Amino acid sequence: MSQTQSSSADITSPAQTERKNVIFSGVQPTGNLHLGNYLGAIRNWVAQQNDFDCIYCVVDLHAITVPQDPQALRTSIREVTACLIASGIDPDQAVLFNQSSVPQHAELAWIFNCVARLGWLNRMTQFKEKAGKNRENATVGLYSYPTLMAADILAYKATHVPVGEDQKQHLELTRDIAAAFNSMYGADIFPLPEPQIQGVAARVMSLRDGSSKMSKSDPSDYTRINLTDSADEIAQKIKKAKTDPEPLPSEMAGLDDRPEARNLVGIYAALSGATNAEILSEFGGQGFGIFKPALVELAVSQIAPISEKMNRLLDDRAEIDRILKKGTEQARARAEPVLAEVKKIVGFLPE
Ligand code: TYM
């Protein structure tokens, strides 16, 4: 397996020369988006949409790799779309669409299933985590999840992919698939996309356990701040967040064995745009009785407007559907010629 050169790619230094930068990323419509999604990925999507060619996708095909209630899935696709717009994605600047309405994703994923090797997929830690002990009962879709992800990215020949830390291994596999396809067919068609993983918030942890990731699938809602939470809910969750009795240290080294404290400092830093060290120089020596209310104020000022805007958007479902339809048309127009090129290279007859 290839290793990416660095976990945080600089957009100004493209991996391959003479390719136009294209940014692609996706999010699953499987419930509320949370602070980890926002700080680890979405904020970084928003930051790039005015300067680069950006394509953002609600990945509903990925969602059904585990069982979903059809009505809840439909609702979630619209809610996540509204949440992305409320978080700052501008559908007039970036292409915003849902994956299942662009058939080229599934088509390219099949071709990549015939390129990727079992040994590569066997190494995927996220499959092992999600399948758990009952691996024989996991769907084939869950197993081949990363080949669909590679197809999402490469159907647009994307060069950069802003994601959280947990997607790094999938991005490495995408690079391996791109390189293997290019070499199998002697074609220089696919770029090797660079992950863009933002340092301070690349892995936001649970509010109740600093050793596990903040996640939509955690049964306790107190482990995460949802982008749909009200000011009161945010305040309650931060108030109840696990901490320790010590005051905050003035230096980073003082957080070494304090994962929960480190996580809250990291969240504060990411929300305020400062570094962890700067936050510690401000709060060093203070207890959580001072720090938590400051964090509540900061989190509420940034998250509450998102949930208000999202609720307003959801009042007009037809408008959300129109936005997705426009994005779908734009995405199809981009993916169709790439698929035509791939099919020709593979040896299929022209349509
Ligand atoms: P998903 O839906 O789990 O998460 C969406 C994005 O949020 C990031 N993220 C986090 N970042 C920091 N801390 C956390 N606790 C945290 N939890 C989630 C994820 O890293 C991700 O960037 N497989 C992807 C969706 C996908 C995709 C793609 C992404 C499908 N195709 C192509 C990029 C390119 C996923 O399940 O993300």
Side-chain angles (χ1 to χ4, degrees), residues 24-30 33-42 45 57 59 62 99 126 130 145 148-150 152-153 161-168 170-171 201-206 212-216:
F24 182 96
S25 201
V27 59
Q28 293 199 61
T30 46
L33 299 190
H34 54 67
L35 193 63
N37 300 127
Y38 180 66
L39 295 176
I42 294 161
W45 302 7
C57 184
V59 294
H62 277 111
Q99 189 187 28
Q126 218 165 66
K130 287 195 176 170
Y145 181 114
L148 177 59
M149 206 168 137
D152 297 338
I153 297 165
V161 186
V163 283
E165 192 13 78
D166 61 349
Q167 298 301 316
K168 188 167 181 237
H170 289 159
L171 262 293
R203 196 172 174 81
V204 177
M205 308 308 279
S206 155
S212 68
K213 196 181 67 170
M214 184 177 284
S215 150
K216 285 176 211 162

Side-chain angles (χ1 to χ4, degrees), residues 4 27 59 76 139 222-223 233 259 268-269 309 331 339 349-350:
T4 47
V27 59
V59 294
S76 192
T139 65
Y222 272 90
T223 59
E233 284 168 324
Y268 194 106
K309 181 159 186 207
L339 259 288
L349 295 179

Side-chain angles (χ1 to χ4, degrees), residues 44 48 68 90 140 162 180 188 190 204 219 248 261 277 292-293 311 345:
N44 198 15
Q48 307 197 67
Q68 301 291 338
D90 177 354
V140 176
D188 179 28
F190 292 124
V204 177
L248 284 169
K292 279 186 169 180
N311 287 328
I345 289 171

Side-chain angles (χ1 to χ4, degrees), residues 253-266:
L255 290 176
D256 275 355
D257 296 316
R258 302 173 63 188
E260 285 82 17
R262 193 174 52 226
N263 188 38
L264 292 186
V265 168

Side-chain angles (χ1 to χ4, degrees), residues 207-208 210 238-249 254-265 286-292:
L207 297 180
R208 306 295 276 181
I238 293 178
K239 219 162 108 192
K240 289 203 156 91
K242 186 174 168 198
T243 46
D244 55 44
E246 302 298 318
L248 284 169
L255 290 176
D256 275 355
D257 296 316
R258 302 173 63 188
E260 285 82 17
R262 193 174 52 226
N263 188 38
L264 292 186
V265 168
Q286 312 263 29
F288 286 98
I290 302 281
F291 183 71
K292 279 186 169 180

